[in-house]
Amino acid sequence: MATACEHVEEVRSDWPPAADPVCEACQREGRTDWVSLRRCLTCGHVGCCDSSPGLHATGHHRESGHPMVETLQPGQDWKWCYVDEVTLRKVGGGWVEVDLFFEAGIAYMRDHLDAGGDPSPPEDLVHGKGFPLGRWVAEMRRRRTAGELTDEQAAQIEALPGWRWDA
Protein backbone atom coordinates (compact mmCIF):
# COMPACT_ATOMS: atom_id res chain seq x y z
CA MET A 1 0.00 0.00 0.00
CA ALA A 2 1.39 3.42 -0.92
CA THR A 3 1.69 6.01 1.83
CA ALA A 4 0.68 9.65 2.01
CA CYS A 5 3.58 10.55 4.35
CA GLU A 6 5.19 13.64 2.84
CA HIS A 7 8.22 13.50 5.14
CA VAL A 8 9.82 10.75 3.06
CA GLU A 9 10.93 13.53 0.73
CA GLU A 10 13.23 14.72 3.55
CA VAL A 11 14.96 11.33 3.96
CA ARG A 12 18.71 11.36 3.51
CA SER A 13 20.11 8.09 2.30
CA ASP A 14 23.80 8.98 2.11
CA TRP A 15 24.73 8.16 5.71
CA PRO A 16 27.81 5.96 6.01
CA PRO A 17 27.15 2.44 7.33
CA ALA A 18 27.00 2.35 11.11
CA ALA A 19 29.74 -0.19 11.93
CA ASP A 20 29.38 -0.19 15.72
CA PRO A 21 26.66 2.35 16.59
CA VAL A 22 25.87 3.49 20.12
CA CYS A 23 23.18 5.70 21.60
CA GLU A 24 25.00 9.00 21.93
CA ALA A 25 23.01 10.16 24.97
CA CYS A 26 23.24 6.80 26.75
CA GLN A 27 26.99 6.80 26.15
CA ARG A 28 27.27 10.27 27.76
CA GLU A 29 25.22 8.95 30.71
CA GLY A 30 27.41 5.84 31.04
CA ARG A 31 24.54 3.51 30.02
CA THR A 32 24.61 0.49 27.72
CA ASP A 33 21.08 -0.81 28.34
CA TRP A 34 19.46 0.28 25.08
CA VAL A 35 17.36 -2.27 23.18
CA SER A 36 17.66 -1.00 19.59
CA LEU A 37 19.06 2.08 17.92
CA ARG A 38 17.57 4.62 15.51
CA ARG A 39 19.34 7.14 13.27
CA CYS A 40 17.76 10.51 12.53
CA LEU A 41 17.38 10.87 8.77
CA THR A 42 17.75 14.64 8.94
CA CYS A 43 20.98 15.05 10.92
CA GLY A 44 22.34 11.52 11.58
CA HIS A 45 21.90 11.58 15.39
CA VAL A 46 21.83 8.05 16.84
CA GLY A 47 19.51 7.40 19.78
CA CYS A 48 17.88 4.46 21.52
CA CYS A 49 14.36 3.24 20.72
CA ASP A 50 11.21 3.56 22.81
CA SER A 51 11.71 0.07 24.27
CA SER A 52 14.91 1.38 25.85
CA PRO A 53 14.97 3.18 29.21
CA GLY A 54 16.40 6.38 27.71
CA LEU A 55 13.92 6.91 24.83
CA HIS A 56 16.62 9.10 23.26
CA ALA A 57 15.56 8.81 19.60
CA THR A 58 12.08 10.10 20.44
CA GLY A 59 13.62 12.73 22.71
CA HIS A 60 15.75 13.93 19.80
CA HIS A 61 12.64 14.15 17.60
CA ARG A 62 10.78 16.16 20.24
CA GLU A 63 13.69 18.57 20.70
CA SER A 64 14.62 18.97 17.04
CA GLY A 65 11.37 18.40 15.18
CA HIS A 66 13.21 16.08 12.79
CA PRO A 67 10.44 13.81 11.48
CA MET A 68 12.04 10.49 10.56
CA VAL A 69 14.44 7.81 11.80
CA GLU A 70 15.70 4.52 10.42
CA THR A 71 16.37 1.37 12.36
CA LEU A 72 19.98 0.35 12.87
CA GLN A 73 18.87 -3.16 13.86
CA PRO A 74 20.71 -5.72 11.70
CA GLY A 75 18.42 -7.43 9.21
CA GLN A 76 15.82 -4.65 9.30
CA ASP A 77 15.46 -1.81 6.80
CA TRP A 78 12.46 0.28 7.80
CA LYS A 79 12.00 3.99 8.47
CA TRP A 80 9.62 5.54 11.05
CA CYS A 81 7.84 8.88 10.71
CA TYR A 82 7.08 10.39 14.12
CA VAL A 83 4.73 12.97 12.61
CA ASP A 84 2.54 10.60 10.61
CA GLU A 85 3.16 7.60 12.91
CA VAL A 86 3.88 5.21 10.04
CA THR A 87 6.62 2.71 9.32
CA LEU A 88 7.90 2.79 5.74
CA ARG A 89 10.17 0.87 3.39
CA LYS A 90 11.37 1.88 -0.05
CA VAL A 91 10.16 -0.64 -2.61
CA GLY A 92 11.08 -0.08 -6.23
CA GLY A 93 10.70 3.62 -6.85
CA GLY A 94 8.23 4.36 -4.08
CA TRP A 95 7.53 4.12 -0.36
CA VAL A 96 5.12 1.64 1.17
CA GLU A 97 3.78 1.35 4.69
CA VAL A 98 4.86 -1.74 6.63
CA ASP A 99 3.62 -3.49 9.77
CA LEU A 100 6.44 -2.82 12.24
CA PHE A 101 5.27 -5.36 14.82
CA PHE A 102 5.26 -8.06 12.14
CA GLU A 103 8.63 -6.94 10.72
CA ALA A 104 10.42 -6.82 14.06
CA GLY A 105 8.79 -10.05 15.23
CA ILE A 106 9.76 -12.10 12.19
CA ALA A 107 13.39 -10.94 12.56
CA TYR A 108 13.48 -11.68 16.30
CA MET A 109 11.78 -15.05 15.76
CA ARG A 110 14.49 -16.00 13.26
CA ASP A 111 17.15 -15.00 15.82
CA HIS A 112 15.34 -17.01 18.51
CA LEU A 113 15.12 -20.10 16.33
CA ASP A 114 18.75 -19.76 15.14
CA ALA A 115 19.75 -19.84 18.81
CA GLY A 116 17.84 -23.11 19.32
CA GLY A 117 14.62 -21.59 20.67
CA ASP A 118 11.21 -23.22 20.54
CA PRO A 119 8.93 -22.09 17.66
CA SER A 120 5.99 -22.12 20.11
CA PRO A 121 7.28 -20.08 23.05
CA PRO A 122 5.14 -19.24 26.09
CA GLU A 123 3.18 -16.01 25.69
CA ASP A 124 5.27 -14.22 28.34
CA LEU A 125 8.61 -14.89 26.56
CA VAL A 126 10.61 -11.70 26.01
CA HIS A 127 13.41 -11.92 23.44
CA GLY A 128 16.71 -10.15 23.87
CA LYS A 129 16.42 -6.84 25.64
CA GLY A 130 12.67 -6.52 25.49
CA PHE A 131 10.76 -7.74 22.42
CA PRO A 132 7.55 -9.60 23.45
CA LEU A 133 8.18 -12.64 21.24
CA GLY A 134 5.60 -14.88 22.93
CA ARG A 135 2.92 -12.21 22.43
CA TRP A 136 4.05 -11.83 18.79
CA VAL A 137 3.50 -15.57 18.18
CA ALA A 138 0.04 -15.41 19.79
CA GLU A 139 -0.84 -12.30 17.76
CA MET A 140 0.28 -13.83 14.45
CA ARG A 141 -1.84 -16.91 15.17
CA ARG A 142 -4.81 -14.65 16.03
CA ARG A 143 -4.30 -12.60 12.85
CA ARG A 144 -4.21 -15.75 10.70
CA THR A 145 -7.45 -17.03 12.23
CA ALA A 146 -9.04 -13.62 11.66
CA GLY A 147 -7.79 -13.46 8.05
CA GLU A 148 -5.66 -10.38 8.81
CA LEU A 149 -2.30 -11.65 7.49
CA THR A 150 -1.31 -11.07 3.90
CA ASP A 151 -0.32 -14.11 1.87
CA GLU A 152 3.28 -12.86 1.96
CA GLN A 153 3.26 -12.51 5.75
CA ALA A 154 1.77 -15.99 6.19
CA ALA A 155 4.39 -17.45 3.84
CA GLN A 156 7.23 -15.79 5.79
CA ILE A 157 5.91 -17.22 9.05
CA GLU A 158 5.35 -20.68 7.55
CA ALA A 159 8.98 -20.66 6.34
CA LEU A 160 10.20 -20.46 9.95
CA PRO A 161 11.81 -23.77 10.98
CA GLY A 162 9.39 -25.86 13.04
CA TRP A 163 6.53 -23.34 12.78
CA ARG A 164 3.00 -24.57 13.54
CA TRP A 165 -0.15 -22.48 13.42
CA ASP A 166 -1.60 -24.35 16.38
CA ALA A 167 -0.05 -23.90 19.81
Side-chain angles (χ1 to χ4, degrees), residues 12-13 17-18 30 44 52 54 61-62 68 87-88 98 100 117-118 120 129-130 139 152 165:
R12 267 186 68 188
S13 60
S52 303
H61 160 69
R62 288 186 180 134
M68 296 189 75
T87 306
L88 307 167
V98 296
L100 181 56
D118 187 327
S120 292
K129 295 182 180 178
E139 175 63 11
E152 181 182 336
W165 285 111

Side-chain angles (χ1 to χ4, degrees), residues 88-112:
L88 307 167
R89 172 178 292 120
K90 193 154 195 171
V91 176
W95 292 91
V96 295
E97 191 171 339
V98 296
D99 177 344
L100 181 56
F101 188 58
F102 174 82
E103 295 282 327
I106 198 84
Y108 286 126
M109 187 60 158
R110 287 182 187 122
D111 291 346
H112 172 72

Side-chain angles (χ1 to χ4, degrees), residues 135-149:
R135 283 197 333 232
W136 180 85
V137 168
E139 175 63 11
M140 294 307 109
R141 288 177 173 149
R142 186 204 65 76
R143 287 184 188 184
R144 180 176 181 260
T145 300
E148 297 172 1
L149 289 176

Side-chain angles (χ1 to χ4, degrees), residues 42-72:
T42 301
C43 71
H45 174 271
V46 174
C48 56
C49 71
D50 287 356
S51 295
S52 303
L55 306 154
H56 292 118
T58 297
H60 174 74
H61 160 69
R62 288 186 180 134
E63 292 169 11
S64 67
H66 297 164
M68 296 189 75
V69 292
E70 68 179 341
T71 181
L72 293 181

Side-chain angles (χ1 to χ4, degrees), residues 2 7 11 24 28 41 47 57 87 96 108 121 124 143:
H7 302 99
V11 169
E24 298 163 6
R28 282 192 302 275
L41 292 171
T87 306
V96 295
Y108 286 126
D124 62 351
R143 287 184 188 184

